Amino acid sequence: MESILYKNQSSDMTSSNIRLKLADKGERSFAMASVYGVLRHYFSLNKLLRQLVKKPLKNKDNDIKSLLLAGIYQIKFMRSPAYATVSENVEAARLLKKPWACKLVNAVLRNYDRDIHKVKNNYANNLEHPLWYIRKCQTNWPSAWFSILEANNEHPPLTIRTNNRLIGRIKYSKILASAGLSNKLTQISEQGITLTRPSDPRDLPLFQEGACSVQDEAAQLPVSLLELGTASKVLDMCAAPGGKTTHILELCDPKTSVTAVDNNLRRLKLLEENLCRLKLSCEVVHGDAGNKISWWNGEAFDRILIDAPCSASGVVRRHPDIKIRRKPEELLELCNLQLKILEESWTMLSKKGILVYVTCSIFPEENDRI
């Protein structure tokens, strides 16, 4: 958690590390719940911590601060007995080789458990978003801003996209149900299924065989706008880790040429792993979406999908670290990058082609204004 809060690491990377380090499902589940719980409630938890710790901790002790935030969250929101939470977090401080912090952790968490009704919070902290995000929502969505913040604080459902090349949605829904996994078909996407209860995707039937991919319903919609039925040459810009690339491949004619471009080698590796699991293939290019000279051969594409780098302000529910890690001054830089990628991509589109521009942002300057 320290790496997310103070070292700008993404929650996805932290989740991967947790899965690698914790083999026990129960421990893994508890760790994930604690991390994402703190991220969702960071602003109110941080406010509480400032009231409980008289002397602010130094930056070199951010690991202890993260531990205290997790302990407060566990006492406030999780079902574990308070005495067990205190004991486990004191032991964690010892494992961090900071024995001096054991007394601090013990005192802070015991005091909070004893005086939980006395510790005050304010309205802005209860919204669990940075002030700049709240104000932008109020400006851009005056009649819906509060609903947006509420939705961002909810636990997201697990939605999957079935691989039509291997199995139909109705059939896979029945397979899930027979495995005791209650589910319902998505209303808009024709390939989506939402599980009633979250589950580790790797435990889903036929997941390793490529029957499905994890993808929110909204993210399943852009590919349909490409009208792939008549496409012969498709480009997916900013493609990694491959959610939309694999969706394109599942829907288009097997003879269609598909090229996936991204400048992040680590994420491209994930794209290739997804292609392998789903038994799909395409041309994978390590290249700059904003500079085609180094990788484009000059042949126009009749379909281009741009899943542009953005603030990710519209997927906070799925990635609550965004509201902590993202800074308002980054928006202008992102907008300039989006426009650069869009202008570069436009020159590669055939005269009668279709280009779809996509972001996961709710801010107009990254969408309509671009």
Side-chain angles (χ1 to χ4, degrees), residues 95-121:
L95 292 174
L96 289 170
K97 297 181 179 180
K98 293 189 174 180
W100 62 266
C102 293
K103 288 184 178 180
L104 175 68
V105 172
N106 182 71
V108 169
L109 296 184
R110 286 187 181 279
N111 288 343
Y112 176 66
D113 180 49
R114 184 183 65 246
D115 299 327
I116 191 170
H117 59 286
K118 297 180 182 178
V119 184
K120 297 180 180 180
N121 216 331

Side-chain angles (χ1 to χ4, degrees), residues 78 95 99 106 113 202 224 251 270 276 292 310 329 346 364:
M78 300 181 79
L95 292 174
N106 182 71
D113 180 49
R202 295 170 300 176
S224 63
L251 295 182
L270 295 175
C276 181
K292 64 179 182 291
C310 70
E329 56 269 20
W346 193 256

Side-chain angles (χ1 to χ4, degrees), residues 205-251:
L206 303 176
F207 181 80
Q208 296 301 337
E209 290 75 17
C212 66
S213 299
V214 176
Q215 190 177 47
D216 284 337
E217 184 176 12
Q220 296 180 30
L221 304 181
V223 170
S224 63
L225 299 175
L226 289 170
E227 300 179 19
L228 292 167
T230 59
S232 61
K233 194 172 175 61
V234 182
L235 172 64
D236 185 5
M237 294 285 261
C238 314
K244 294 180 180 66
T245 306
T246 53
H247 195 186
I248 289 170
L249 290 164
E250 289 167 4
L251 295 182

Side-chain angles (χ1 to χ4, degrees), residues 321-338:
D321 56 303
I322 290 165
K323 59 186 178 181
I324 302 167
R325 295 170 55 237
R326 184 67 70 206
K327 301 295 183 285
E329 56 269 20
E330 294 175 296
L331 282 178
L332 179 59
E333 183 180 341
L334 284 166
C335 290
N336 289 335
L337 177 59
Q338 291 153 9

